[in-house]
Amino acid sequence: PAGRGVVEGNEIPYQSSALERKRENYAKRATLDPDRRCLLSGVPRIMSMPHPFQIVQQADKVNFLFEYNHTLRHIYMNGNPHPEGPIEWWMGDSRGRWEGNTLVVDTIHFTADTWFDKAGNFHSEQLHVVERLTRTGPDHMLYEATIEDPKVFTRPWKMSMPLYRRVDADAEILEYECYAYLLEETWPTR
């Protein structure tokens, strides 16, 4: 849907060597976008999708339960470090901590197969995302993400947006099945 950009400064600082791939992704987005192929969205894209999610806090982790593609994301809060890599996971490996009333989430170990959006903005397996979720009211939260990837970007960049609680009396996470728009044999590989 139409909307204002969420990237601070309205520009993603691509290295010149990465711009051609970004242009190619954009030109072929109807077939290359991982979302069109029902793959997991990755971080931070899943946070801006128009599907609801639920946050469940436990003693040792915070869980994000996303309606889209039955995605489950664990944010480990027990102080353990990230496992040794290289590891390539669709949602990365997330480790969190509290800074006052802000949940700070450090995520690494991504696959390079997710995009940031439908426009073909991409990253490599060296993506590092630090998210900050701060409650700003009873039904609002500020979501901020700092993105680093030395293989793709010239510097870290940031995105931010408000998140809104669904306040419907019967709000719940429903079962959402994604069906690919294309036949599997037409899916490109990278």
Side-chain angles (χ1 to χ4, degrees):
R4 303 214 185 270
V6 297
V7 175
E8 291 189 3
N10 294 318
E11 183 181 332
I12 297 176
Y14 279 100
Q15 294 181 16
S16 56
S17 59
L19 281 174
E20 182 55 38
R21 175 159 174 215
K22 195 279 184 213
R23 287 185 200 108
E24 180 182 322
N25 286 353
Y26 180 79
K28 298 179 180 178
R29 64 192 180 277
T31 55
L32 289 182
D33 183 357
D35 181 56
R36 300 269 306 188
R37 297 181 288 157
C38 299
L39 301 173
L40 291 180
S41 301
V43 176
R45 185 176 187 176
I46 191 84
M47 299 301 292
S48 64
M49 303 220 27
H51 302 276
F53 64 91
Q54 182 176 3
I55 301 172
V56 178
Q57 185 174 349
Q58 295 176 289
D60 61 341
K61 64 183 168 277
V62 175
N63 302 292
F64 282 65
L65 310 160
F66 296 92
E67 184 173 279
Y68 184 77
N69 268 359
H70 314 283
T71 305
L72 175 60
R73 182 178 178 205
H74 300 295
I75 299 166
Y76 297 96
M77 304 289 289
N78 57 11
N80 288 346
H82 293 286
E84 294 293 319
I87 305 168
E88 293 186 17
W89 287 321
W90 288 93
M91 301 303 288
D93 177 70
S94 299
R95 305 295 160 149
R97 68 184 186 282
W98 289 102
E99 288 182 3
N101 68 341
T102 298
L103 175 61
V104 180
V105 183
D106 184 272
T107 307
I108 61 172
H109 295 316
F110 289 99
T111 177
D113 294 328
T114 64
W115 287 2
F116 294 116
D117 54 29
K118 292 183 180 297
N121 289 299
F122 75 101
H123 59 83
S124 78
E125 72 286 347
Q126 290 186 21
L127 176 65
H128 178 203
V129 180
V130 176
E131 301 160 285
R132 301 178 67 81
L133 294 100
T134 307
R135 195 164 178 184
T136 56
D139 299 315
H140 302 87
M141 189 179 305
L142 176 62
Y143 176 79
E144 302 170 286
T146 301
I147 313 294
E148 292 182 83
D149 188 334
K151 284 178 69 173
V152 179
F153 307 117
T154 60
R155 61 174 171 77
W157 55 278
K158 188 175 176 183
M159 60 183 285
S160 60
M161 66 191 143
L163 300 176
Y164 303 94
R165 182 196 311 248
R166 305 244 345 234
V167 294
D168 326 15
D170 59 348
E172 63 181 318
I173 301 298
L174 301 174
E175 187 168 334
Y176 175 87
E177 288 297 331
C178 179
Y179 294 97
Y181 295 100
L182 304 171
L183 296 175
E184 184 174 337
E185 51 269 14
T186 65
W187 293 356
T189 57
R190 66 176 173 115

